[in-house]
Amino acid sequence: MSADLDLSPPEVPEPTFLESILRYGLFLGAIFQLICILAVIFPTSKGHEQEEAEYTDSKAAEQMKKSKGPAPQIRQKPKKESKKKR
């Protein structure tokens, strides 16, 4: 009975050049995606935060300079037109 069972490993063809390129390309793509996701979750750039802080500080300073003068009145009441009585 044991002579009837074939326990040898199945014959698997060697991967072609295109298949191996595709396999390694998929691995590199997966690694790149993981790096991008981790970069979004754990931002490490402190320079960008400092640039934003300087930008908001300079913008606030400009608003302070502009607010020293009298504030212009933008509101204007619409003129009512009255009918002439004859």
Side-chain angles (χ1 to χ4, degrees):
M1 289 262 256
S2 63
D4 295 338
L5 296 175
D6 187 19
L7 298 177
S8 64
E11 294 182 17
V12 178
E14 290 291 321
T16 63
F17 181 70
L18 183 63
E19 289 174 344
S20 60
I21 289 178
L22 183 63
R23 174 181 295 187
Y24 291 118
L26 288 172
F27 281 126
L28 289 175
I31 292 169
F32 178 74
Q33 286 182 356
L34 288 175
I35 290 171
C36 290
I37 290 171
L38 291 175
V40 169
I41 294 173
F42 303 110
T44 58
S45 174
K46 299 294 181 187
H48 182 66
E49 292 175 6
Q50 290 173 351
E51 289 174 5
E52 281 185 9
E54 291 175 1
Y55 175 72
T56 54
D57 290 342
S58 64
K59 195 171 185 180
E62 289 177 13
Q63 288 178 353
M64 292 289 280
K65 290 178 184 177
K66 290 180 181 178
S67 65
K68 288 182 181 177
Q73 296 292 331
I74 299 175
R75 297 183 198 165
Q76 293 181 354
K77 293 181 180 178
K79 295 180 180 179
K80 292 184 179 178
E81 294 182 17
S82 59
K83 293 183 179 179
K84 294 182 180 179
K85 294 183 180 178
R86 293 186 187 188

